[in-house]
Amino acid sequence: MAVSLQKGQKISLSKEAGGNLTQVKLGLGWDVAQGPQDKKGGFLGKLFGGGTGGDSIDLDASCIMFDNNKQPVDAIWFSQLKSKDGSIVHTGDNRTGDGDGDDEVINVDLAKVPTEVVSLVFTVNSFTGQTFETVENAFCRIVNADNNSEVARYNLSAQGSHTAMIMAKVYRHNNEWKMHAIGETASGRTFHDLMPAITPHA
């Protein structure tokens, strides 16, 4: 059964997965909030390319790899969909949130993550600039990719006038991978804008 993560909570990924965890994926999903104009028929939303949900909302998942000195080693995001070492792969940019389930996925082969990398920090940004208060059903989740079972889920329920969130950190501890739910809100269109806030968590 998946653990529903709370801000600041730490869990052992391998224990929650019921064994050694080597292949994981982080899924990000959201729905476009329906504004008043959509409840009257959705015409404006379709007119501006947002389907039934008003203007398109483009959330982006990113992963930054850090070494033991809290220095960034690599970053996986919509402009670089694969880490240089090949251990982390982003499935591609979703610019609307349309569809069910995960809208963006970052796959991580923990066994291939270089030994000098001690932590992976995951973030989400609103590239199109809308604040999270306009986003419905936003979530991120960790999935055991070996059997596609959900290990942990973090509901991005924080509402307000921010456009980014430092979601979680996956890190090595005593030869085991653990996850720390950070849940810190911030502002910025890409992870670059968040680096001063991300680094203390690395």
Side-chain angles (χ1 to χ4, degrees), residues 36-114:
Q37 71 274 19
D38 301 304
K39 295 175 182 176
K40 295 178 181 177
F43 178 73
L44 290 179
K46 294 177 182 177
L47 193 67
F48 292 103
T52 59
D55 292 345
S56 294
I57 294 177
D58 181 6
L59 299 188
D60 292 317
S62 303
C63 175
I64 303 93
M65 309 170 77
F66 287 91
D67 64 18
N68 199 40
N69 296 316
K70 294 193 174 185
Q71 294 299 308
V73 175
D74 203 355
I76 299 85
W77 60 307
F78 66 82
S79 283
Q80 182 186 313
L81 296 178
K82 188 175 183 180
S83 62
K84 295 180 179 69
D85 57 70
S87 64
I88 303 177
V89 179
H90 193 306
T91 57
D93 190 16
N94 182 313
R95 300 181 180 181
T96 63
D98 286 344
D100 297 326
D102 300 326
D103 295 308
E104 293 193 7
V105 175
I106 297 178
N107 293 293
V108 182
D109 188 340
L110 294 172
K112 291 184 179 179
V113 174

